[in-house]
Amino acid sequence: MRALITGGAGFAGSHLAEHLLEQGQEVVALAAVTEPLDNLGPILPQVQVERLDLRDALRVSEIVREAKPQRVYHLAALSSPAESLENPLLTYEVNFTGTLNLLLACRMLGADCRILIVSSSEVYGVVRPEHLPLREDMALRPATPYAGSKAAAELLGLQFFESYGMPVVRTRPFNHTGPRQSAAFVCSDFARQIAEIDLGLRPPKIHVGNLQVSRDFSDVRDIVRGYHLLLEKGDPGEVYQLGSGRPVSIEEILRILIGLASQCVQVVVEESRVRHSETPTLWGDTSKAEHAVGWKRHYRLDTTLRDLKEYWQERLRSEAASRRERSG
Ligand code: GDD
């Protein structure tokens, strides 16, 4: 079985590549032209890496034709809802046109190639408390270019299923975190700051945004197992949520991470980190995926956050060592 992963050298993509190799699959990882491959680490020799820009339709179709995958996992995206507000056009070009290019290229593979489109819980927009937990049949009211582009990409997947019978499964993951996540996102940002404090790289002060919001956090390693199960066993045309099934406040995330620090840490709320007009609480019902494909979570949140902090500690240590080496 040959699987192609867009965003294969990214945060979730690299965990998915690892999981698929463990299942005995061949992996073709698509990476952006200048993207570092560090996330693939020890599995790099086992993965075929192809570089491309998903906006380049010709190159996308060339790669798909050569790779002839039986499974396509579409993870690549500009993934920050906050940053998408600054860059709506690029967000739509990568997330929407990129998906269109991929689906058009996959048409030549016929019904033997199953495709997973990874959307996001962000597509529901600003949600009223009485509508929680979110379910797949709720209305989509995207509130950022990121969310709009994901909702549109999801519809593309559905249209290709309806028009051409292509086996496209769609998923809406809630927030997920773990080793290798960019520090643009809250858990990784806090874990990195704590690791910097522990290594004496910054004073014992952690900068945070709005601690009162609650989100549905999972471990990335559970989420990528969900992607695999959904693509193998999910119903084409359907959409499935993946999440922890409970809300956790950002304050609680901070409390767990501060508990891992080796000294007392002062908390500083930074106005520029506080987002205005965001949903106070978001969490989802994941029973559809659980019943359909038998997905179950394995990781506890405190284990995920501990692994994330250890990841940053190791990464910062090795970055410091290479700086020392370079300076002689
Ligand atoms: N980044 C960040 N930094 N967020 C903070 C901070 C901070 O210092 N303090 C509080 N927050 C709050 C944000 O206001 C937001 O409510 C929550 O933490 C989560 O923010 P992010 O981790 O930046 O993620 P996101 O929810 O905007 O988007 C992520 O989850 C989506 C799934 O629901 C991304 O992974 C998206 O790609 C994904 O679709």
Side-chain angles (χ1 to χ4, degrees):
M1 176 81 76
R2 189 164 37 254
L4 181 145
I5 308 173
T6 73
F11 158 57
S14 62
H15 286 283
L16 178 61
E18 239 169 64
H19 180 67
L20 296 181
L21 289 172
E22 278 163 22
Q23 308 300 308
Q25 299 197 9
E26 280 175 45
V27 173
V28 181
L30 305 194
V33 180
T34 57
E35 186 179 356
L37 301 178
D38 305 6
N39 285 338
L40 292 171
I43 63 164
L44 185 56
Q46 298 167 64
V47 173
Q48 179 189 336
V49 177
E50 300 290 346
R51 292 196 177 271
L52 87 173
D53 185 329
L54 277 178
R55 294 171 297 171
D56 180 347
L58 209 61
R59 176 92 177 113
V60 175
S61 94
E62 249 170 43
I63 287 180
V64 168
R65 193 170 335 113
E66 275 163 29
K68 286 196 188 55
Q70 288 103 17
R71 299 288 182 266
V72 171
Y73 292 87
H74 181 35
L75 276 64
L78 292 187
S79 61
S80 165
E83 285 170 20
S84 76
L85 288 163
E86 310 300 321
N87 228 333
L89 184 60
L90 184 64
T91 303
Y92 273 94
E93 282 173 357
V94 174
N95 295 1
F96 175 77
T97 311
T99 304
L100 178 59
N101 290 341
L102 182 70
L103 286 167
L104 286 169
C106 288
R107 270 186 75 185
M108 71 179 95
L109 301 170
D112 290 341
C113 178
R114 291 172 70 93
I115 302 164
L116 186 77
I117 302 285
V118 176
S119 175
S120 164
S121 58
E122 282 286 306
V123 293
Y124 300 110
V126 180
V127 175
R128 292 220 295 273
E130 62 268 29
H131 292 145
L132 296 170
L134 289 162
R135 292 170 46 94
E136 287 85 351
D137 54 11
M138 297 220 17
L140 309 191
R141 300 179 63 89
T144 59
Y146 168 77
S149 68
K150 283 289 181 179
E154 258 193 42
L155 274 182
L156 272 180
L158 181 59
Q159 182 251 304
F160 274 67
F161 166 70
E162 295 288 347
S163 309
Y164 314 118
M166 284 165 63
V168 178
V169 180
R170 296 165 298 148
T171 181
R172 290 180 197 143
F174 284 75
N175 298 57
H176 44 287
T177 187
R180 304 177 206 149
Q181 188 177 35
S182 148
F185 300 104
V186 68
C187 298
S188 206
D189 181 322
F190 291 0
R192 180 187 170 142
Q193 292 189 60
I194 297 284
E196 285 173 345
I197 292 168
D198 271 7
L199 294 172
L201 300 172
R202 65 154 65 221
K205 274 187 192 169
I206 181 162
H207 294 258
V208 302
N210 184 357
L211 298 180
Q212 303 318 314
V213 289
S214 295
R215 292 289 178 269
D216 178 327
F217 287 99
S218 301
D219 190 294
V220 63
R221 294 161 287 194
D222 279 335
I223 294 292
V224 301
R225 269 192 314 101
Y227 291 168
H228 175 229
L229 284 170
L230 287 175
L231 190 52
E232 292 306 322
K233 300 187 188 167
D235 281 334
E238 284 299 319
V239 60
Y240 301 89
Q241 295 186 157
L242 290 175
S244 70
R246 70 184 180 113
V248 174
S249 70
I250 306 300
E251 192 167 28
E252 173 67 1
I253 300 278
L254 180 65
R255 191 192 62 76
I256 299 173
L257 283 166
I258 286 184
L260 299 172
S262 55
Q263 53 185 300
C264 284
V265 174
Q266 187 193 338
V267 176
V268 181
V269 177
E270 215 176 79
E271 188 50 33
S272 63
R273 288 171 176 259
V274 177
R275 294 182 201 167
H276 299 285
S277 75
E278 64 171 344
T279 310
T281 304
L282 265 189
W283 61 291
D285 175 339
T286 53
S287 52
K288 186 174 173 185
E290 286 161 30
H291 291 142
V293 303
W295 178 65
K296 279 199 189 74
R297 294 168 289 275
H298 291 162
Y299 285 88
R300 289 168 47 107
L301 181 60
D302 47 3
T303 310
T304 305
L305 294 175
R306 189 202 59 210
D307 291 352
L308 179 57
K309 189 214 162 202
E310 279 172 11
Y311 159 77
W312 275 112
Q313 223 148 353
E314 230 164 79
R315 180 168 158 182
L316 292 166
R317 267 201 205 102
S318 82
E319 283 172 6
S322 10
R323 270 198 304 276
R324 273 197 305 276
E325 235 168 64
R326 275 200 305 274
S327 64

